[in-house]
Amino acid sequence: MKIIEKTVSAGDRKIFELDEFLSRPLYAHLAHNSEQGPRESPVWFHWDGQALWIIGGTSFPANLKRDPRCALGIVDWDPATGLSQHVGLRGQAEVLPFDRALAKTIFRRYFGPDEGAWDGRFDYAGSGEESGLTMVRVIPATVVMRDQSYQPTPFTRQETWRQRRPGQPGAADERA
C-alpha cells in the first residue's frame, strides 16, 4: 500500500492517522464497474490494518468478480465543527466466502457489543443463516488522505439546521 497523498488544506493541523480514521464507524462508498456502467455502493466496513473488509450481497460482488478494480471513498464530516477528513483507497477486490465472525466484527463496530440489541435484520450474522452473502476484501494499492477541515460558520453551528432531514417538519424541502 502506497500513500500517494497526505495533505492538510489549511491551518497548522497535523494530518490524521490512517488506522485511527479507519477505526471510526463511517460509511465507505465503493465504486466499481457493472455491465451497465459505473456503480457506487455505500457499505459498512472493517479495517484490519492491511485490508478493508465488506459484507457483500448479490450485485456488487458479482461485478467485482468480473472486474476487481475498485475505489473506496470515506468521509468524516461535521458541519458544526468544520471537521472534513477524507480517505480514498484504490485497489483490487477479492470476493470470498461469508465469514460469520468477521461479519459480527463489522456489526459490533456500528451497533455496539450487545448483539441482543442489534436490529433483527442482522440476525444472520449470529445464527449462521448466510443468505448467499459473501465477504469482499480490498487490499489498497494506493491511498489518498486529505484533511480539508475549516472554520465553521454560525449557520452550520445551528442545532436546528443540523437536525433537519427531508420529510421532517421545518425541513427545507417542505412547501407551505
Side-chain angles (χ1 to χ4, degrees):
M1 173 176 70
K2 180 179 180 183
I3 297 177
I4 58 173
E5 182 181 335
K6 197 172 183 180
T7 59
V8 177
S9 64
D12 60 353
R13 299 172 62 107
K14 291 185 178 183
I15 191 72
F16 53 91
E17 293 296 321
L18 181 63
D19 287 335
E20 186 280 323
F21 180 89
L22 294 175
S23 73
R24 300 174 196 169
L26 303 170
Y27 269 91
H29 292 267
L30 172 67
H32 52 95
N33 291 312
S34 77
E35 291 178 333
Q36 294 78 33
R39 295 287 184 263
E40 180 273 340
S41 301
V43 294
W44 293 337
F45 66 91
H46 167 67
W47 173 249
D48 70 9
Q50 295 183 18
L52 195 132
W53 292 87
I54 303 163
I55 299 169
T58 55
S59 63
F60 71 78
N63 293 334
L64 291 168
K65 284 180 181 179
R66 274 191 303 280
D67 183 353
R69 297 174 299 164
C70 63
L72 292 129
I74 307 164
V75 175
D76 195 352
W77 178 56
D78 182 355
T81 65
L83 175 75
S84 182
Q85 297 174 333
H86 166 260
V87 167
L89 308 164
R90 295 174 194 107
Q92 303 255 340
E94 183 178 8
V95 180
L96 301 167
F98 184 78
D99 182 317
R100 191 174 0 171
L102 190 50
K104 283 185 172 189
T105 297
I106 293 171
F107 291 149
R108 275 189 211 100
R109 167 188 177 94
Y110 295 92
F111 299 143
D114 181 2
E115 294 178 23
W118 294 358
D119 185 307
R121 291 175 292 163
F122 301 97
D123 286 347
Y124 62 83
S127 68
E129 295 175 64
E130 296 158 6
S131 305
L133 298 175
T134 60
M135 302 306 296
V136 175
R137 177 176 59 195
V138 178
I139 299 175
T142 61
V143 177
V144 170
M145 300 170 59
R146 293 187 186 124
D147 188 326
Q148 298 170 299
S149 298
Y150 56 90
Q151 184 64 38
T153 66
F155 175 78
T156 63
R157 283 190 231 121
Q158 292 178 41
E159 188 67 26
T160 55
W161 178 81
R162 292 195 324 261
Q163 291 180 350
R164 289 185 181 177
R165 300 283 189 259
Q168 289 184 333
D173 67 333
E174 293 191 354
R175 307 283 188 255

